[in-house]
Amino acid sequence: MTKYVGKNIPRLDGYDKATGRGLYTTDVNLPHMLHAAVLRSPYAHAKVVSIDVSEAEKMDGVVAIATRDNTPRTYFNVTASMILTVPPAKPVLDQQIFPDVVRYIGDEVAAVAAETLEIAKEAIKKIKVVYEELPAVYDVEEAMKDGAPQVQPDFSPGNNLCGGVIKIRQGDVDAAWDEGEVYAEHTMYLPRVKQAQLETHGAVASYNPDGNLKVYSTTQTPYPCKVIIATVFGMPSSYVRVKNPPHVGGGFGVRIGISAKAELIASALSIIAKRPVKYIYSREEDFLASDTRHGGLIKCRLAAKKDGTFVALDAKACMNTGAYATFGPDLVAVLGACGIAGIYGIPNIRYDGHAIYTNQQTAGAFRGYGTPQGTIATEMCVDSIAKQLGMDALELRLKNTTRVGADWWFPYPVKSTYLNECLEQCAESIGWKEKRGKKQTGTIRRGVGIACGTHVSNAAPFCVDYDAAYMRIESDGTLHVASSIPEIGPGVTTGLLQIAAETVGVPLETSRLAYGDTDVGPFDIGSHASRTLYAVGHLFVKIGKELKKQILEWAAKFLYVDVETLDLVDGEIIGSCEKSRLCIKPMPLGELAYEAHLRGKQFLVHGCEVPPNSPPWHAHAAEVEVDMETGMVKVLKVAAAHDVGVAINPVLVEGQIEGAVAMGVGYAIREEMTYEEGKGFYNDSYHKYMLPTMDEMPEIDTIIVDAFDPAGPYGAKGIGECGLVPTAPAIISAVEDAIGIRFYEMPMTPGRVLKKIKEVYGDDLENL
Amino acid sequence: MKYLIANSTAEVLEFLKEAGGTASILAGGTDLILDIESGKKKADTLVDVTRIPELKKIEEVDGFLEIGAAATLTEIQKNPLVRKYFPSLAKGCKTVGSSLIQNVATLAGNVITAQPAADAGMALSVLDPRFVLVDEEGTRECGVDEMYAGFGVSTLDSGRTLMTKIKIPLPNKNEAASFQRLELRKSLSLPMLNVAAMASIKDGKFEWVRLRMAPVGKGPVRAAEAEEWLVGKEVSAETFKKAGELALENANPRSNPLRGSKEYRESTLPVMVRRALLEIATQLNVMEG
């Protein structure tokens, strides 16, 4: 029996967050601190000919102005891919703090630090910039044509392909294709969508002339953030400290690495001014000048036998990565691996992934990291095969899903999968048997749909991916754990402490995890890839066991008993009377630790390891209602079934799923960024971006299937991103069930839906 | 900037006069403050009218429902008289912004900011409201069409004139009103379209209909052709359909990158009109909803 693992322990940061005490980057105010504002390009593509800051410099209260002329010209990548790319692959370093050529509307040109934010904002208006406009390209298909304007001629000479073509191969698709008896082939068009995390990007940088730089930051990867800053400014990494304050208002992938350019701009200004500088992105800057999810198109075809057995899957993704690489090449790889190659056992798979440069803002990591896009493409073909065969879409999936021990493309084994249990349980919850395929008439029509998928529990071995941490017992017997991981909202710092306390055998109530600070813990890659609880948990189990062993070995010597006779349970050293010649009384760990302290001994361990990887699995079933006269799609219910292995803290897992389903619903029916040539993206605020609110949320039935993974800590797998992977394809499938129309373009906004309804049903929709 | 809190209508006029036209009246401020911050509007002095007792009243007076100009959208939608006589107005007030906005924003402000798709002002527009205005010259009453000068522009100069209350004639037994909203999001979002209607039905026929729609032009646009045609027509699905088509004659919607293309709005406007008329017929038990 476990004492903490598997229990709904209230999150440890709950009090801080519920009462408003918790500090976020925007709350950090340092003595003599300046405020920054940034001048951004009004052009999609232009050469910066000259920058004249003389008028701005004259303003009272302006302390420092940063441009390309007085800041490092180092090339970098804002994302952690800068330092986690596995050789022989090389990271694409195509960004500079202030480039000579601006490549999208919003690109950084200059920054001002002033006594107040108002002065800084006024000052940037007084900077005179001469631009020379260059031809621009916005659309993926246009950008792939010969002779298209070149977005990054130095990094993709002759074309706009960022980081080369990503290829996944299994079996021989061409040879096997004719073995098929039924074929599906479609192209899916996907929108660009925004993370819209609650806290905008921000940093407070404080440079000390002795060479030390301390940066409060919204990053979701403090350690990589520190390394990137040190590299860009050519500083010793040991002199740079990155700290979350400790709270971060969401991540969703948008700040894996640095937070857009917040840390670099605040640092550049602080180095010039030799005073602390605060730079908080406005909501508009956050929407228009930081990574989004990749839109684009995926061509996908699937061959199957008449009995439904999948034979070959062939896909090509062309994703709009915007003006700079950020995570583009890595992301199209995951799109293919998890979204295309992972879900079903298919002997022949071919995937070509393209990240395409355009003159739009960058696209990068966003919860799911390409997997949602790939899953939508795969599932559109699976539904098409089911329809052609007259086979139940659930049965077809159950027949083809990846199995334990499968011979699959991934370099690690499938040690557990409960995907079929997920499919069956979400189908049961939605009422699949009674509702699917029921003929609908009239104005309001209902339908149900299903989709499934997989993902990862970290990025190893595709990326450099490891964790290091310390654990110690204080002289009063309490456990202190130190790691540089952040807490971006999921409650992972609570879950990890549950694992640590459980493993060492001490009370959770007196244990503490210090986190979110590179001066507190050693290297950690940070929170991304649904990894932190799984990977850091794996490390905590390893070093927690070592710590316990160290304690018991010392205790055995101190008590003159054999170590095998001792155990540490709930903060007490327990002796076994059967095994030992001495029957000792339980001894509080605090007493032992103090005895050790008196003799110059602290129980202390550290560890560093690359985690194993375990694919999590998930299936969602959705029920929708479609208004045939307005094209309005309403999602009534999502049954979300997940194989997360063992849930370390079930209520936190449910929270992750519910939040992700909300994002999946928005992705399917509402959210999209619309580009207006010459103006940029229209969606510069929550008001102009249709995130669902609680009014639009369907009933969500979260189902955590009974599962166990042999590789994960206490049997756990990742969850962070998984909750939105199958949501959108399940909703698309449900809309098709309701009105007989499959959508190959998202989101299914009323305008898009009504247009299709009219194409199929004609203009008279009143008396259907 | 000066911020003055007025305790009476007379005091408001006094403050406005002192500022010589450079002041602005502030009730909820949910639009005004943003407009001042973004530089769209300017004011040297803000005159807060939310603590004038008579401006907060909602009461029945001589065949009218009188709503004080400082009554918030929340107070209006929760008021038993409003709910009894004008449920569609309560519905319109409930769809402006979000609960937080409704807690401070006013119906009067929703009219004076003159945004074409303002839900509360739209729901109100078909109820034959009279706006009571006070300035140095004295007191006068205005109808809906006299209030809107353009997109986001009111005829009322809130540096000189105070709206004190909105008077709405109480409905007869055979009269009812409705409000329909086509929306991407229930809260924190302008509608793609909204339609308000009020009608009198006698012996299964429309005696008269007031029908307005937005955002298809300046303020709440009258579907004049449909209104005129509907008089004397039988209450039926066919009638609603024809009225919906006729409504297009007076509508000139624009495309919005988010809230629907012109084409989409033109496709769905007749549907909203039909649904608005059906809602009235249902309320009056002439048809089943």
Side-chain angles (χ1 to χ4, degrees):
Chain A
M1 273 300 288
T2 53
K3 187 163 167 69
Y4 303 117
V5 164
K7 303 293 192 306
N8 289 329
I9 306 291
R11 54 186 304 154
L12 302 172
D13 56 1
Y15 182 82
D16 255 16
K17 288 180 172 173
T19 57
R21 291 178 54 93
L23 270 191
Y24 292 80
T25 300
T26 191
D27 300 317
V28 173
N29 290 304
L30 301 178
H32 313 296
M33 187 178 80
L34 302 169
H35 300 265
V38 170
L39 178 66
R40 295 178 177 281
S41 167
Y43 296 106
H45 199 187
K47 201 175 154 197
V48 180
V49 178
S50 63
I51 305 171
D52 175 3
V53 300
S54 54
E55 287 300 310
E57 269 175 343
K58 285 180 201 155
M59 281 180 67
D60 275 352
V62 170
V63 179
I65 300 180
T67 68
R68 62 182 177 183
D69 301 324
N70 62 351
T71 52
R73 313 304 333 272
T74 327
Y75 279 98
F76 60 87
N77 183 318
V78 290
T79 72
S81 73
M82 179 156 174
I83 59 157
L84 55 70
T85 304
V86 180
K90 285 183 179 160
V92 183
L93 307 181
D94 58 3
Q95 287 177 282
Q96 292 176 297
I97 303 177
F98 302 111
D100 292 323
V101 173
V102 284
R103 295 183 175 83
Y104 75 98
I105 294 175
D107 214 345
E108 291 80 6
V109 177
V112 173
E115 299 290 349
T116 69
L117 184 57
E118 290 67 30
I119 296 172
K121 282 181 178 171
E122 277 307 306
I124 60 167
K125 291 182 197 162
K126 300 206 167 154
I127 297 174
K128 295 191 190 88
V129 184
V130 177
Y131 298 95
E132 183 184 307
E133 249 193 292
L134 298 169
V137 64
Y138 312 101
D139 177 74
V140 166
E141 288 168 292
E142 289 298 319
M144 291 176 84
K145 286 181 184 162
D146 285 342
Q150 290 269 283
V151 179
Q152 289 281 10
D154 293 342
F155 297 95
S156 60
N159 59 41
N160 283 312
L161 179 62
C162 172
V165 180
I166 305 295
K167 293 175 189 287
I168 291 175
R169 298 288 183 268
Q170 174 162 292
D172 186 336
V173 167
D174 288 329
W177 194 253
D178 290 342
E179 289 169 28
E181 292 164 330
V182 57
Y183 299 94
E185 183 168 357
H186 298 284
T187 301
M188 185 74 209
Y189 288 85
L190 295 152
R192 184 190 280 266
V193 293
K194 196 77 188 89
Q195 296 84 352
Q197 78 290 344
L198 204 51
E199 186 184 13
T200 63
H201 297 299
V204 180
S206 182
Y207 178 73
N208 185 319
D210 71 2
N212 277 286
L213 176 66
K214 181 177 177 182
V215 185
Y216 291 90
S217 148
T218 53
T219 181
Q220 59 187 91
T221 59
Y223 221 100
C225 182
K226 156 195 165 98
V227 177
I228 294 170
I229 293 169
T231 307
V232 170
F233 292 100
M235 290 177 169
S237 201
S238 56
Y239 277 34
V240 180
R241 176 183 182 184
V242 170
K243 184 176 164 43
N244 297 136
H247 299 304
V248 178
F252 309 119
V254 76
R255 34 207 179 201
I256 302 170
I258 56 176
S259 310
K261 286 187 185 168
E263 292 87 346
L264 295 180
I265 289 171
S267 297
L269 289 166
S270 180
I271 289 167
I272 298 168
K274 297 184 176 56
R275 287 169 63 178
V277 175
K278 183 179 200 171
Y279 176 36
I280 304 293
Y281 275 49
S282 67
R283 181 60 63 187
E284 186 180 350
E285 286 178 297
D286 196 284
F287 259 101
L288 303 181
S290 67
D291 279 358
T292 65
R293 189 187 292 287
H294 281 78
L297 61 102
I298 305 175
K299 292 177 194 290
C300 191
R301 57 182 193 143
L302 174 62
K305 296 277 193 194
K306 276 185 180 156
D307 68 355
T309 308
F310 296 163
V311 175
L313 180 60
D314 190 13
K316 180 184 175 188
C318 305
M319 311 308 286
N320 187 337
T321 210
Y324 300 95
T326 73
F327 270 128
D330 312 69
L331 186 135
V332 294
V334 173
L335 187 161
C338 299
I340 305 286
I343 313 168
Y344 298 104
I346 308 175
N348 306 288
I349 291 170
R350 175 168 61 201
Y351 167 76
D352 284 351
H354 306 74
I356 303 297
Y357 281 126
T358 65
N359 291 109
Q360 290 184 333
Q361 84 190 81
T362 54
F366 179 176
R367 202 176 203 170
Y369 203 84
T371 302
Q373 293 99 312
T375 305
I376 289 164
T378 302
E379 291 295 72
M380 95 186 148
C381 287
V382 172
D383 275 357
S384 169
I385 294 286
K387 201 171 167 184
Q388 293 178 54
L389 290 173
M391 201 170 163
D392 182 67
L394 171 62
E395 290 304 319
L396 181 63
R397 286 178 169 81
L398 291 171
K399 186 181 172 71
N400 283 289
T401 45
T402 298
R403 303 296 148 88
V404 170
D407 178 19
W408 72 341
W409 173 84
F410 291 76
Y412 46 83
V414 182
K415 288 189 174 166
S416 71
T417 168
Y418 298 80
L419 179 53
N420 281 7
E421 287 78 356
C422 291
L423 281 162
E424 281 164 348
Q425 290 180 32
C426 72
E428 170 77 25
S429 169
I430 211 78
W432 182 262
K433 279 186 190 144
E434 309 83 67
K435 292 174 182 169
R436 176 75 172 183
K438 289 284 168 295
K439 177 143 181 65
Q440 298 286 308
T441 56
T443 302
I444 304 295
R445 301 187 178 192
R446 285 190 175 194
V448 295
I450 200 162
C452 61
T454 185
H455 197 52
V456 291
S457 291
N458 59 76
F462 309 109
C463 295
V464 174
D465 188 293
Y466 67 100
D467 310 276
Y470 313 122
M471 269 188 199
R472 64 178 188 247
I473 298 295
E474 307 287 15
S475 57
D476 65 353
T478 55
L479 173 67
H480 185 280
V481 188
S483 154
S484 67
I485 57 160
E487 168 65 80
I488 57 171
V492 71
T493 46
T494 302
L496 281 172
L497 204 56
Q498 288 175 245
I499 287 177
E502 184 82 51
T503 307
V504 178
V506 292
L508 178 73
E509 295 73 15
T510 55
S511 300
R512 184 166 164 259
L513 172 64
Y515 62 91
D517 186 343
T518 60
D519 266 13
V520 158
F523 184 87
D524 191 285
I525 196 68
S527 278
H528 75 128
S530 302
R531 74 180 307 283
T532 309
L533 186 63
Y534 177 92
V536 181
H538 197 273
L539 174 65
F540 280 11
V541 170
K542 180 172 176 262
I543 63 174
K545 282 179 180 168
E546 286 171 17
L547 181 60
K548 184 172 186 169
K549 186 163 171 263
Q550 197 180 99
I551 295 165
L552 293 179
E553 280 173 355
W554 199 89
K557 280 186 190 161
F558 180 74
L559 296 168
Y560 300 100
V561 295
D562 292 332
V563 69
E564 291 75 30
T565 67
L566 295 179
D567 199 358
L568 174 57
V569 178
D570 210 11
E572 285 188 327
I573 307 290
I574 310 280
S576 162
C577 293
E578 288 94 63
K579 287 187 196 161
S580 175
R581 59 192 167 81
L582 276 176
C583 191
I584 63 159
K585 278 194 297 181
M587 180 181 193
L589 179 58
E591 280 180 27
L592 184 80
Y594 199 74
E595 293 293 346
H597 162 73
L598 294 175
R599 290 160 181 78
K601 166 74 182 171
Q602 179 167 42
F603 303 118
L604 175 68
V605 293
H606 67 274
C608 176
E609 64 161 21
V610 176
N613 210 333
S614 309
W617 304 90
H618 28 262
H620 288 187
E623 183 170 21
V624 303
E625 198 172 81
V626 183
D627 184 328
M628 297 294 281
E629 290 184 311
T630 62
M632 193 68 71
V633 175
K634 188 174 175 188
V635 181
L636 303 173
K637 176 175 173 175
V638 173
H642 286 257
D643 164 13
V644 299
V646 169
I648 302 294
N649 186 324
V651 79
L652 290 178
V653 172
E654 284 172 17
Q656 285 298 290
I657 295 171
E658 286 173 9
V661 166
M663 285 182 147
V665 169
Y667 191 33
I669 66 171
R670 285 290 179 275
E671 295 176 41
E672 113 185 89
M673 294 192 73
T674 306
Y675 196 78
E676 297 180 289
E677 214 172 307
K679 291 184 186 168
F681 283 100
Y682 173 81
N683 320 82
D684 64 0
S685 60
Y686 284 142
H687 184 235
K688 290 185 183 172
Y689 185 75
M690 284 297 133
L691 286 175
T693 69
M694 59 195 293
D695 292 324
E696 283 74 37
M697 285 319 297
E699 175 193 349
I700 302 172
D701 183 12
T702 53
I703 302 162
I704 302 170
V705 302
D706 198 12
F708 179 84
D709 185 73
Y714 292 95
K717 296 195 264 195
I719 177 62
E721 299 163 278
C722 302
L724 65 65
V725 170
T727 319
I731 293 168
I732 296 171
S733 173
V735 169
E736 184 179 16
D737 188 47
I739 65 173
I741 298 170
R742 182 84 189 189
F743 282 85
Y744 298 102
E745 196 181 357
M746 281 178 23
M748 295 179 287
T749 52
R752 213 167 258 141
V753 173
L754 187 63
K755 197 168 168 223
K756 280 277 170 204
I757 290 174
K758 286 189 167 192
E759 276 171 30
V760 173
Y761 292 85
D763 279 336
D764 186 13
L765 300 171
E766 193 187 349
N767 303 303
L768 285 169
Chain B
M1 182 187 282
K2 270 199 273 186
Y3 191 98
L4 304 174
I5 298 170
N7 293 308
S8 68
T9 303
E11 206 170 50
V12 174
L13 295 178
E14 196 180 304
F15 290 154
L16 292 181
K17 191 178 176 185
E18 272 171 31
T22 62
S24 184
I25 290 169
L26 178 114
T30 54
D31 281 317
L32 182 61
I33 298 295
L34 296 180
D35 287 345
I36 289 173
E37 271 191 4
S38 71
K40 276 186 210 160
K41 282 189 181 157
K42 284 198 161 49
D44 293 341
T45 305
L46 292 176
V47 181
D48 183 332
V49 298
T50 60
R51 298 183 207 181
I52 303 171
E54 58 182 284
L55 263 61
K56 298 291 286 179
K57 281 184 189 165
I58 301 174
E59 57 190 354
E60 196 179 324
V61 182
D62 300 334
F64 285 85
L65 179 69
E66 296 191 353
I67 298 175
T72 66
L73 295 172
T74 298
E75 286 161 357
I76 295 168
Q77 69 188 260
K78 292 194 168 158
N79 184 280
L81 293 171
V82 175
R83 290 187 164 206
K84 179 179 165 194
Y85 293 120
F86 301 109
S88 68
L89 178 61
K91 192 174 162 188
C93 293
K94 206 176 160 60
T95 54
V96 175
S98 63
S99 303
L100 298 173
I101 301 281
Q102 292 156 27
N103 285 342
V104 286
T106 62
L107 178 57
N110 206 244
V111 173
I112 294 165
T113 52
Q115 293 301 326
D119 294 295
M122 266 299 293
L124 174 71
S125 68
V126 294
L127 307 179
D128 191 24
R130 291 65 187 291
F131 301 96
V132 180
L133 311 180
V134 184
D135 58 18
E136 276 194 299
E137 317 286 311
T139 302
R140 63 197 153 95
E141 286 188 14
C142 268
V144 172
D145 291 314
E146 294 160 89
M147 291 304 302
Y148 296 85
F151 288 101
V153 186
S154 173
T155 55
L156 183 147
D157 174 0
S158 78
R160 299 186 190 282
T161 309
L162 171 69
M163 184 183 289
T164 55
K165 61 188 167 188
I166 301 164
K167 293 168 63 180
I168 313 172
L170 296 177
N172 291 322
K173 267 188 183 162
N174 56 338
E175 294 169 7
S178 62
F179 176 70
Q180 289 283 329
R181 185 178 204 262
L182 190 60
E183 62 206 357
L184 287 168
R185 196 161 67 185
K186 288 193 189 306
S187 296
L188 299 165
S189 158
L190 293 169
M192 292 188 286
L193 279 176
N194 52 19
V195 167
M198 183 166 184
S200 171
I201 296 176
K202 202 170 178 188
D203 303 329
K205 287 182 179 160
F206 285 112
E207 282 196 308
W208 52 261
V209 178
R210 286 194 292 264
L211 186 60
R212 285 182 188 254
M213 51 206 176
V216 297
K218 184 184 81 173
V221 172
R222 241 188 97 198
E225 312 277 334
E227 284 183 357
E228 283 159 28
W229 180 83
L230 278 165
V231 176
K233 297 292 183 306
E234 196 179 329
V235 177
S236 71
E238 285 71 41
T239 301
F240 301 163
K241 188 177 179 183
K242 177 76 179 162
E245 285 160 12
L246 283 171
L248 285 171
E249 307 260 330
N250 303 102
N252 185 23
R254 294 193 287 192
S255 284
N256 177 282
L258 184 66
R259 289 183 294 277
S261 63
K262 178 178 172 69
E263 183 195 11
Y264 176 74
R265 285 170 162 175
E266 285 176 345
S267 294
T268 47
L269 178 65
V271 179
M272 291 296 105
V273 169
R274 275 200 268 120
R275 290 180 184 181
L277 294 173
L278 175 63
E279 194 188 325
I280 291 174
T282 309
Q283 281 184 48
L284 295 173
N285 295 317
V286 181
M287 283 175 86
E288 279 179 29

